[in-house]
Amino acid sequence: MGTMVNQLMFAQDNRDRIHAVENSFGPSGKPLYAPDRVLIGEGRLMKMSRRGPQPKVFFLFNDVLVYGSIILNGRWYKKQKIIPLEESQLEDLEDGIKMRNQWLIRTPRKSFYVSAASYEEKRAWIEHIVDCRSSLLQSSGCRPGSHFANTWIPDQASAVCMRCSDRFTVTQRRHHCRKCGFVVCGACSKKRAVIRHIHPTKCLRVCTLCHSSLSTTTTTTEAPEVSRVNGGSTEKIGSDEDEVDGLSEEEEAEEQMENHDPGKWMNSQMDSWSTYVYFKPEHTQSQT
């Protein structure tokens, strides 16, 4: 009897927590409640982007990982992203001089670095994500993902095209191949191709080597040069991070403005951390 009461109490608490997460994203967020879904833990991690490390809120469920941008350092979030755990892969990374407690999260559409406030929190996040993914694959019969997006080489990592070795200048702009992530020049990235695990229909910029390795049935086009209008003048962009590959403006900002330079982790961001909260869902198995 006591066990049943505990399970009912846990089920109600779990529903309340999930609805609270839904509400925190406002009307723009997708519904998150499902009968078998359990909220495992939540907290803030630093996510590397083109603008440097940005604090993001992460919610780990037994089947998905959800994250979003923080509004006004409060408990309101936007730009909700949902990662099915069976499509994810983690890669542990050692500490460097300027980067600590970091690891890589790989997904089909994008791969990115995150960092935790402490080694203990990093281990907890990784352990719980791996455990949830393993349990999900065993219980649901889902097939694990096999194709993952490569992280982009940072602009500053190369002064020359990583395909033809031509030097970048004000007019010789940097671009990124969406398949391999290399920094390449315009001449070496004129083609576009469908990379189905990133986007099933949109043509994305690829370098010459990746283009030749893709299936001959893949749709390809020439990649146009991109300019930015600033006031009454038009100027070339030093890198193509802002160019549109057929995604919405919000998706473009989130999917393609990633720099993934772990060397930019700064200790001054520590005030943006919050402790990882683990809900110890002992009744997870009874829920599924």
mmCIF file of all heavy atoms in Angstrom, residues 1-14 17 35-40 62 278-288:
data_model
loop_
_atom_site.group_PDB
_atom_site.id
_atom_site.type_symbol
_atom_site.label_atom_id
_atom_site.label_comp_id
_atom_site.label_asym_id
_atom_site.label_seq_id
_atom_site.Cartn_x
_atom_site.Cartn_y
_atom_site.Cartn_z
ATOM 1 N N MET A 1 0.835 -1.211 0.000
ATOM 2 C CA MET A 1 0.000 0.000 0.000
ATOM 3 C C MET A 1 0.866 1.256 0.000
ATOM 4 O O MET A 1 0.639 2.202 -0.744
ATOM 5 C CB MET A 1 -0.909 0.001 1.231
ATOM 6 C CG MET A 1 -1.854 1.199 1.285
ATOM 7 S SD MET A 1 -3.081 1.132 -0.052
ATOM 8 C CE MET A 1 -4.036 2.585 0.303
ATOM 9 N N GLY A 2 1.908 1.248 0.874
ATOM 10 C CA GLY A 2 2.801 2.395 0.955
ATOM 11 C C GLY A 2 3.516 2.648 -0.357
ATOM 12 O O GLY A 2 3.693 3.795 -0.781
ATOM 13 N N THR A 3 3.915 1.577 -1.030
ATOM 14 C CA THR A 3 4.612 1.712 -2.309
ATOM 15 C C THR A 3 3.703 2.337 -3.352
ATOM 16 O O THR A 3 4.109 3.212 -4.127
ATOM 17 C CB THR A 3 5.103 0.344 -2.809
ATOM 18 O OG1 THR A 3 5.980 -0.212 -1.842
ATOM 19 C CG2 THR A 3 5.821 0.483 -4.136
ATOM 20 N N MET A 4 2.431 1.912 -3.367
ATOM 21 C CA MET A 4 1.478 2.471 -4.336
ATOM 22 C C MET A 4 1.237 3.950 -4.085
ATOM 23 O O MET A 4 1.175 4.758 -5.023
ATOM 24 C CB MET A 4 0.155 1.708 -4.272
ATOM 25 C CG MET A 4 -0.879 2.190 -5.289
ATOM 26 S SD MET A 4 -2.381 1.188 -5.271
ATOM 27 C CE MET A 4 -1.717 -0.393 -5.828
ATOM 28 N N VAL A 5 1.136 4.332 -2.814
ATOM 29 C CA VAL A 5 0.940 5.741 -2.470
ATOM 30 C C VAL A 5 2.140 6.559 -2.924
ATOM 31 O O VAL A 5 1.991 7.653 -3.499
ATOM 32 C CB VAL A 5 0.709 5.908 -0.956
ATOM 33 C CG1 VAL A 5 0.739 7.392 -0.584
ATOM 34 C CG2 VAL A 5 -0.607 5.276 -0.539
ATOM 35 N N ASN A 6 3.329 6.037 -2.680
ATOM 36 C CA ASN A 6 4.541 6.740 -3.099
ATOM 37 C C ASN A 6 4.589 6.914 -4.616
ATOM 38 O O ASN A 6 4.999 7.962 -5.129
ATOM 39 C CB ASN A 6 5.780 5.986 -2.625
ATOM 40 C CG ASN A 6 5.971 6.059 -1.127
ATOM 41 O OD1 ASN A 6 5.471 6.985 -0.476
ATOM 42 N ND2 ASN A 6 6.683 5.093 -0.569
ATOM 43 N N GLN A 7 4.174 5.880 -5.331
ATOM 44 C CA GLN A 7 4.168 5.958 -6.791
ATOM 45 C C GLN A 7 3.172 6.991 -7.285
ATOM 46 O O GLN A 7 3.459 7.743 -8.216
ATOM 47 C CB GLN A 7 3.850 4.585 -7.384
ATOM 48 C CG GLN A 7 4.961 3.558 -7.195
ATOM 49 C CD GLN A 7 4.572 2.189 -7.739
ATOM 50 O OE1 GLN A 7 3.412 1.976 -8.111
ATOM 51 N NE2 GLN A 7 5.524 1.274 -7.780
ATOM 52 N N LEU A 8 2.001 7.047 -6.651
ATOM 53 C CA LEU A 8 0.999 8.033 -7.047
ATOM 54 C C LEU A 8 1.488 9.451 -6.749
ATOM 55 O O LEU A 8 1.278 10.377 -7.549
ATOM 56 C CB LEU A 8 -0.319 7.758 -6.321
ATOM 57 C CG LEU A 8 -1.066 6.487 -6.750
ATOM 58 C CD1 LEU A 8 -2.265 6.257 -5.852
ATOM 59 C CD2 LEU A 8 -1.506 6.594 -8.211
ATOM 60 N N MET A 9 2.124 9.624 -5.591
ATOM 61 C CA MET A 9 2.656 10.941 -5.233
ATOM 62 C C MET A 9 3.741 11.362 -6.212
ATOM 63 O O MET A 9 3.807 12.513 -6.639
ATOM 64 C CB MET A 9 3.203 10.913 -3.801
ATOM 65 C CG MET A 9 2.136 10.793 -2.729
ATOM 66 S SD MET A 9 2.847 10.710 -1.057
ATOM 67 C CE MET A 9 3.687 12.288 -0.989
ATOM 68 N N PHE A 10 4.621 10.403 -6.565
ATOM 69 C CA PHE A 10 5.680 10.718 -7.511
ATOM 70 C C PHE A 10 5.097 11.085 -8.869
ATOM 71 O O PHE A 10 5.542 12.045 -9.520
ATOM 72 C CB PHE A 10 6.645 9.540 -7.679
ATOM 73 C CG PHE A 10 7.679 9.773 -8.739
ATOM 74 C CD1 PHE A 10 8.826 10.493 -8.456
ATOM 75 C CD2 PHE A 10 7.492 9.298 -10.023
ATOM 76 C CE1 PHE A 10 9.772 10.740 -9.438
ATOM 77 C CE2 PHE A 10 8.430 9.539 -11.016
ATOM 78 C CZ PHE A 10 9.579 10.249 -10.720
ATOM 79 N N ALA A 11 4.074 10.335 -9.311
ATOM 80 C CA ALA A 11 3.453 10.601 -10.607
ATOM 81 C C ALA A 11 2.867 12.010 -10.648
ATOM 82 O O ALA A 11 3.003 12.736 -11.643
ATOM 83 C CB ALA A 11 2.379 9.565 -10.903
ATOM 84 N N GLN A 12 2.205 12.428 -9.556
ATOM 85 C CA GLN A 12 1.623 13.760 -9.505
ATOM 86 C C GLN A 12 2.711 14.832 -9.491
ATOM 87 O O GLN A 12 2.615 15.847 -10.202
ATOM 88 C CB GLN A 12 0.727 13.903 -8.267
ATOM 89 C CG GLN A 12 0.031 15.265 -8.167
ATOM 90 C CD GLN A 12 -0.869 15.526 -9.357
ATOM 91 O OE1 GLN A 12 -1.705 14.698 -9.701
ATOM 92 N NE2 GLN A 12 -0.679 16.673 -10.011
ATOM 93 N N ASP A 13 3.750 14.627 -8.666
ATOM 94 C CA ASP A 13 4.862 15.583 -8.623
ATOM 95 C C ASP A 13 5.529 15.704 -9.986
ATOM 96 O O ASP A 13 5.901 16.803 -10.417
ATOM 97 C CB ASP A 13 5.899 15.153 -7.581
ATOM 98 C CG ASP A 13 5.389 15.302 -6.158
ATOM 99 O OD1 ASP A 13 4.395 16.033 -5.965
ATOM 100 O OD2 ASP A 13 5.983 14.684 -5.251
ATOM 101 N N ASN A 14 5.688 14.577 -10.672
ATOM 102 C CA ASN A 14 6.324 14.572 -11.987
ATOM 103 C C ASN A 14 5.493 15.360 -12.995
ATOM 104 O O ASN A 14 6.024 16.157 -13.774
ATOM 105 C CB ASN A 14 6.518 13.128 -12.464
ATOM 106 C CG ASN A 14 7.144 13.044 -13.831
ATOM 107 O OD1 ASN A 14 8.288 13.446 -14.042
ATOM 108 N ND2 ASN A 14 6.403 12.518 -14.797
ATOM 109 N N ARG A 17 5.900 19.044 -12.298
ATOM 110 C CA ARG A 17 7.200 19.558 -12.733
ATOM 111 C C ARG A 17 7.247 19.743 -14.250
ATOM 112 O O ARG A 17 7.763 20.751 -14.747
ATOM 113 C CB ARG A 17 8.320 18.618 -12.274
ATOM 114 C CG ARG A 17 8.650 18.712 -10.790
ATOM 115 C CD ARG A 17 9.929 17.988 -10.465
ATOM 116 N NE ARG A 17 9.763 16.541 -10.481
ATOM 117 C CZ ARG A 17 9.596 15.799 -9.385
ATOM 118 N NH1 ARG A 17 9.532 16.374 -8.198
ATOM 119 N NH2 ARG A 17 9.471 14.483 -9.472
ATOM 120 N N PRO A 35 2.423 10.572 -21.096
ATOM 121 C CA PRO A 35 2.122 9.665 -19.983
ATOM 122 C C PRO A 35 3.344 8.947 -19.408
ATOM 123 O O PRO A 35 3.414 8.742 -18.200
ATOM 124 C CB PRO A 35 1.138 8.677 -20.620
ATOM 125 C CG PRO A 35 0.484 9.442 -21.718
ATOM 126 C CD PRO A 35 1.554 10.353 -22.259
ATOM 127 N N ASP A 36 4.296 8.564 -20.248
ATOM 128 C CA ASP A 36 5.458 7.807 -19.769
ATOM 129 C C ASP A 36 6.694 8.659 -19.579
ATOM 130 O O ASP A 36 7.781 8.134 -19.320
ATOM 131 C CB ASP A 36 5.779 6.671 -20.757
ATOM 132 C CG ASP A 36 4.666 5.644 -20.816
ATOM 133 O OD1 ASP A 36 3.970 5.475 -19.797
ATOM 134 O OD2 ASP A 36 4.485 5.026 -21.883
ATOM 135 N N ARG A 37 6.566 9.961 -19.721
ATOM 136 C CA ARG A 37 7.742 10.847 -19.633
ATOM 137 C C ARG A 37 8.012 11.243 -18.189
ATOM 138 O O ARG A 37 7.116 11.613 -17.439
ATOM 139 C CB ARG A 37 7.533 12.077 -20.500
ATOM 140 C CG ARG A 37 8.724 13.062 -20.486
ATOM 141 C CD ARG A 37 8.622 14.045 -21.621
ATOM 142 N NE ARG A 37 8.888 13.368 -22.897
ATOM 143 C CZ ARG A 37 8.615 13.901 -24.093
ATOM 144 N NH1 ARG A 37 8.027 15.091 -24.163
ATOM 145 N NH2 ARG A 37 8.902 13.235 -25.191
ATOM 146 N N VAL A 38 9.278 11.173 -17.808
ATOM 147 C CA VAL A 38 9.702 11.513 -16.444
ATOM 148 C C VAL A 38 10.794 12.567 -16.514
ATOM 149 O O VAL A 38 11.745 12.441 -17.295
ATOM 150 C CB VAL A 38 10.224 10.274 -15.695
ATOM 151 C CG1 VAL A 38 10.712 10.648 -14.294
ATOM 152 C CG2 VAL A 38 9.140 9.211 -15.612
ATOM 153 N N LEU A 39 10.659 13.627 -15.717
ATOM 154 C CA LEU A 39 11.704 14.641 -15.619
ATOM 155 C C LEU A 39 12.777 14.142 -14.668
ATOM 156 O O LEU A 39 12.521 13.901 -13.492
ATOM 157 C CB LEU A 39 11.114 15.968 -15.123
ATOM 158 C CG LEU A 39 12.100 17.128 -14.978
ATOM 159 C CD1 LEU A 39 12.772 17.443 -16.306
ATOM 160 C CD2 LEU A 39 11.385 18.366 -14.437
ATOM 161 N N ILE A 40 13.976 13.980 -15.185
ATOM 162 C CA ILE A 40 15.077 13.420 -14.398
ATOM 163 C C ILE A 40 15.851 14.491 -13.653
ATOM 164 O O ILE A 40 16.195 14.345 -12.483
ATOM 165 C CB ILE A 40 16.044 12.640 -15.316
ATOM 166 C CG1 ILE A 40 15.290 11.566 -16.116
ATOM 167 C CG2 ILE A 40 17.177 12.014 -14.515
ATOM 168 C CD1 ILE A 40 14.647 10.509 -15.261
ATOM 169 N N ASN A 62 13.486 11.259 -19.390
ATOM 170 C CA ASN A 62 13.923 9.886 -19.637
ATOM 171 C C ASN A 62 13.984 9.537 -21.116
ATOM 172 O O ASN A 62 14.498 8.482 -21.488
ATOM 173 C CB ASN A 62 12.995 8.891 -18.918
ATOM 174 C CG ASN A 62 11.543 9.025 -19.364
ATOM 175 O OD1 ASN A 62 11.092 10.093 -19.762
ATOM 176 N ND2 ASN A 62 10.802 7.924 -19.290
ATOM 177 N N TYR A 278 18.688 17.068 -9.358
ATOM 178 C CA TYR A 278 18.363 15.692 -9.740
ATOM 179 C C TYR A 278 17.165 15.245 -8.917
ATOM 180 O O TYR A 278 17.187 15.313 -7.690
ATOM 181 C CB TYR A 278 19.574 14.790 -9.484
ATOM 182 C CG TYR A 278 19.350 13.324 -9.763
ATOM 183 C CD1 TYR A 278 18.809 12.903 -10.968
ATOM 184 C CD2 TYR A 278 19.705 12.361 -8.817
ATOM 185 C CE1 TYR A 278 18.621 11.551 -11.227
ATOM 186 C CE2 TYR A 278 19.521 11.005 -9.075
ATOM 187 C CZ TYR A 278 18.984 10.615 -10.280
ATOM 188 O OH TYR A 278 18.797 9.279 -10.543
ATOM 189 N N PHE A 279 16.105 14.811 -9.596
ATOM 190 C CA PHE A 279 14.853 14.502 -8.899
ATOM 191 C C PHE A 279 14.785 13.081 -8.368
ATOM 192 O O PHE A 279 13.767 12.678 -7.808
ATOM 193 C CB PHE A 279 13.673 14.789 -9.827
ATOM 194 C CG PHE A 279 13.541 16.240 -10.176
ATOM 195 C CD1 PHE A 279 13.763 16.685 -11.466
ATOM 196 C CD2 PHE A 279 13.229 17.174 -9.204
ATOM 197 C CE1 PHE A 279 13.658 18.032 -11.791
ATOM 198 C CE2 PHE A 279 13.116 18.522 -9.508
ATOM 199 C CZ PHE A 279 13.342 18.949 -10.805
ATOM 200 N N LYS A 280 15.856 12.305 -8.558
ATOM 201 C CA LYS A 280 15.936 10.935 -8.024
ATOM 202 C C LYS A 280 14.649 10.154 -8.308
ATOM 203 O O LYS A 280 13.946 9.730 -7.377
ATOM 204 C CB LYS A 280 16.195 10.966 -6.511
ATOM 205 C CG LYS A 280 17.511 11.621 -6.133
ATOM 206 C CD LYS A 280 17.750 11.597 -4.634
ATOM 207 C CE LYS A 280 19.075 12.244 -4.275
ATOM 208 N NZ LYS A 280 19.325 12.263 -2.823
ATOM 209 N N PRO A 281 14.333 9.979 -9.574
ATOM 210 C CA PRO A 281 13.058 9.306 -9.915
ATOM 211 C C PRO A 281 13.126 7.799 -9.720
ATOM 212 O O PRO A 281 13.254 7.031 -10.656
ATOM 213 C CB PRO A 281 12.863 9.675 -11.385
ATOM 214 C CG PRO A 281 14.269 9.848 -11.902
ATOM 215 C CD PRO A 281 15.067 10.387 -10.752
ATOM 216 N N GLU A 282 13.034 7.376 -8.468
ATOM 217 C CA GLU A 282 13.119 5.937 -8.164
ATOM 218 C C GLU A 282 12.027 5.144 -8.849
ATOM 219 O O GLU A 282 12.149 3.954 -9.081
ATOM 220 C CB GLU A 282 13.026 5.706 -6.649
ATOM 221 C CG GLU A 282 14.212 6.238 -5.868
ATOM 222 C CD GLU A 282 14.001 7.694 -5.460
ATOM 223 O OE1 GLU A 282 13.010 8.301 -5.898
ATOM 224 O OE2 GLU A 282 14.848 8.217 -4.709
ATOM 225 N N HIS A 283 10.901 5.814 -9.166
ATOM 226 C CA HIS A 283 9.754 5.100 -9.732
ATOM 227 C C HIS A 283 9.725 5.173 -11.253
ATOM 228 O O HIS A 283 8.697 4.913 -11.849
ATOM 229 C CB HIS A 283 8.466 5.679 -9.159
ATOM 230 C CG HIS A 283 8.446 5.698 -7.664
ATOM 231 N ND1 HIS A 283 8.430 4.541 -6.908
ATOM 232 C CD2 HIS A 283 8.488 6.718 -6.780
ATOM 233 C CE1 HIS A 283 8.426 4.879 -5.608
ATOM 234 N NE2 HIS A 283 8.465 6.169 -5.525
ATOM 235 N N THR A 284 10.842 5.530 -11.864
ATOM 236 C CA THR A 284 10.869 5.635 -13.318
ATOM 237 C C THR A 284 10.427 4.357 -13.979
ATOM 238 O O THR A 284 9.631 4.345 -14.928
ATOM 239 C CB THR A 284 12.297 5.990 -13.806
ATOM 240 O OG1 THR A 284 12.678 7.242 -13.248
ATOM 241 C CG2 THR A 284 12.339 6.083 -15.325
ATOM 242 N N GLN A 285 10.921 3.220 -13.509
ATOM 243 C CA GLN A 285 10.571 1.954 -14.135
ATOM 244 C C GLN A 285 9.088 1.656 -14.020
ATOM 245 O O GLN A 285 8.499 1.024 -14.876
ATOM 246 C CB GLN A 285 11.381 0.821 -13.467
ATOM 247 C CG GLN A 285 12.891 0.936 -13.692
ATOM 248 C CD GLN A 285 13.238 0.904 -15.180
ATOM 249 O OE1 GLN A 285 12.612 0.179 -15.940
ATOM 250 N NE2 GLN A 285 14.227 1.690 -15.579
ATOM 251 N N SER A 286 8.477 2.131 -12.941
ATOM 252 C CA SER A 286 7.037 1.882 -12.772
ATOM 253 C C SER A 286 6.202 2.768 -13.683
ATOM 254 O O SER A 286 5.057 2.480 -13.949
ATOM 255 C CB SER A 286 6.637 2.170 -11.310
ATOM 256 O OG SER A 286 7.338 1.319 -10.430
ATOM 257 N N GLN A 287 6.828 3.860 -14.174
ATOM 258 C CA GLN A 287 6.110 4.775 -15.027
ATOM 259 C C GLN A 287 6.114 4.307 -16.471
ATOM 260 O O GLN A 287 5.304 4.743 -17.275
ATOM 261 C CB GLN A 287 6.756 6.162 -14.971
ATOM 262 C CG GLN A 287 6.656 6.838 -13.612
ATOM 263 C CD GLN A 287 5.269 7.361 -13.355
ATOM 264 O OE1 GLN A 287 4.689 7.987 -14.225
ATOM 265 N NE2 GLN A 287 4.717 7.095 -12.193
ATOM 266 N N THR A 288 7.065 3.460 -16.840
ATOM 267 C CA THR A 288 7.226 3.089 -18.244
ATOM 268 C C THR A 288 6.659 1.725 -18.519
ATOM 269 O O THR A 288 6.280 0.992 -17.605
ATOM 270 C CB THR A 288 8.721 3.107 -18.600
ATOM 271 O OG1 THR A 288 9.406 2.192 -17.732
ATOM 272 C CG2 THR A 288 9.305 4.484 -18.430
#
